[in-house]
Amino acid sequence: MKLTVSTWNINSVRLRIEQVGRFLAEHRPDVLCLQETKCPNDVFPLKALQSFGYPFVVHMGQKGYNGVAILSRYPFSTTSVMEMCGRADARHITVTLTEAKGASGITIHNFYVPAGGDIPNPDLNEKFKHKLQFMDELRAWGGRSKPTGAPAILVGDLNVAPLENDVWSHKQLLDVVSHTPVETSALEALRGEAGWIDAMRHLRPEPEKIYSWWSYRSPDWAAANKGRRLDHIWLSGDLAGSLRAMDVTRETRGWERPSDHVPVTVTLEL
DNA sequence: ATGGTAGCCCCGCTA
């Protein structure tokens, strides 16, 4: 069977509920992971999302900030939420698919790593310190794919552009949060140690430029094209051979009132 | 360590 999994930082799921519907109608992924839903649980637009053909939905939100959700066309079993850095932030949610033929047993982790503020110094900036601590905890956790051998997919807005060609100018962004050496080396180390495969780069290696985010602060994002690859899809090693396709849906950035992130999708043949 | 825009929902905080 084919399994397609998408990730999208939606930056308010309520404001952009129609855009979610349009993306789902046009691309029909089996699973969509959202970040920055910015929505408390009691006002989460569950019915609207289910009406798009995704009956199985889990979400964890809070007022105004953060928030993650997973929509699926297939059933999944127990879901869980990890509390990172001792905070009740809604930055992680996970499901395990149960009734999808070849995809049964695959666990999908959806993460929203802290952006980290503006100053790349943990002593001067509490938010950057939080981001580094979050990555330390990710590293210690690992994903459990290696010890158990169970297939897993990790997606999300990891808020780090790890490679030189994941940003519009490597040199100009070396001091900019999301591309500093301390962040890029931490992300690559924790990915490698746990045996995760970077699915996007597996299919489209450097030096091709790949971006998934363009700042709202750029007046003409498309012409300037000063993007960064902040959104990622990682596969446990046993799934690497099943990877068939990867797509960055750049066009959503040009929609009316867009998210600053665009969806990233992988297709697996299981 | 510039300023720029966007979303939250009360206006400053986070991105």
Side-chain angles (χ1 to χ4, degrees):
Chain A
M1 67 169 287
K2 267 197 173 58
L3 181 77
T4 54
V5 178
S6 300
T7 179
W8 193 7
N9 179 321
I10 195 64
N11 188 18
S12 176
V13 68
R14 282 179 292 176
L15 188 69
R16 276 180 263 282
I17 188 71
E18 304 87 352
Q19 297 192 30
V20 175
R22 179 175 170 188
F23 172 74
L24 292 173
E26 292 177 1
H27 292 83
R28 302 306 295 161
D30 296 307
V31 178
L32 171 63
C33 298
L34 297 172
Q35 304 86 35
E36 278 207 89
T37 52
K38 290 189 172 178
C39 180
N41 289 333
D42 56 350
V43 288
F44 184 83
L46 178 63
K47 293 278 194 294
L49 294 169
Q50 289 176 323
S51 77
F52 298 146
Y54 293 77
F56 308 101
V57 179
V58 287
H59 58 94
M60 181 52 62
Q62 61 186 97
K63 194 169 86 176
Y65 307 106
N66 310 326
V68 286
I70 301 178
L71 335 182
S72 174
R73 305 170 70 180
Y74 296 113
F76 44 70
S77 68
T78 46
T79 66
S80 69
V81 176
M82 290 200 296
E83 190 172 296
M84 308 290 287
C85 304
R87 305 186 188 206
D89 292 356
R91 294 183 177 275
H92 169 260
I93 195 164
T94 185
V95 300
T96 300
L97 299 175
T98 51
E99 296 167 41
K101 293 187 180 176
S104 292
I106 293 182
T107 295
I108 300 171
H109 294 285
N110 179 15
F111 279 99
Y112 175 48
V113 174
D118 290 329
I119 305 159
N121 181 331
D123 298 322
L124 302 178
N125 174 8
E126 199 59 40
K127 292 197 280 282
F128 194 70
K129 190 172 164 187
H130 178 209
K131 183 178 196 174
L132 295 182
Q133 189 190 343
F134 195 103
M135 283 197 282
D136 280 347
E137 290 191 12
L138 269 182
R139 187 173 191 165
W141 167 73
R144 288 190 290 271
S145 60
K146 202 151 76 171
T148 66
I153 303 173
L154 186 158
V155 311
D157 176 5
L158 305 185
N159 264 316
V160 177
L163 306 179
E164 291 195 12
N165 294 287
D166 293 339
V167 293
W168 62 276
S169 169
H170 172 62
K171 281 184 180 162
Q172 288 179 252
L173 288 175
L174 276 170
D175 291 329
V176 175
V177 171
S178 75
H179 195 62
T180 65
V182 63
E183 295 168 83
T184 58
S185 60
L187 193 77
E188 283 294 90
L190 74 90
R191 185 180 64 74
E193 282 175 13
W196 295 108
I197 307 298
D198 178 345
M200 299 170 74
R201 285 305 187 182
H202 194 77
L203 292 176
R204 308 248 296 271
E206 292 199 285
E208 182 181 352
K209 296 274 189 191
I210 307 177
Y211 311 139
S212 65
W213 172 90
W214 293 261
S215 173
Y216 284 128
R217 298 172 189 174
S218 177
D220 193 347
W221 71 275
N225 199 25
K226 293 184 173 179
R228 304 178 203 171
R229 185 171 73 109
L230 303 180
D231 303 275
H232 299 268
I233 301 182
W234 294 352
L235 307 177
S236 58
D238 50 334
L239 292 178
S242 305
L243 179 62
R244 293 291 178 273
M246 182 285 275
D247 181 59
V248 179
T249 310
R250 194 180 200 266
E251 71 207 51
T252 67
R253 187 62 178 79
W255 290 355
E256 189 78 23
R257 295 251 279 171
S259 169
D260 46 353
H261 294 253
V262 301
V264 179
T265 302
V266 295
T267 302
L268 306 181
E269 181 66 48
L270 297 160

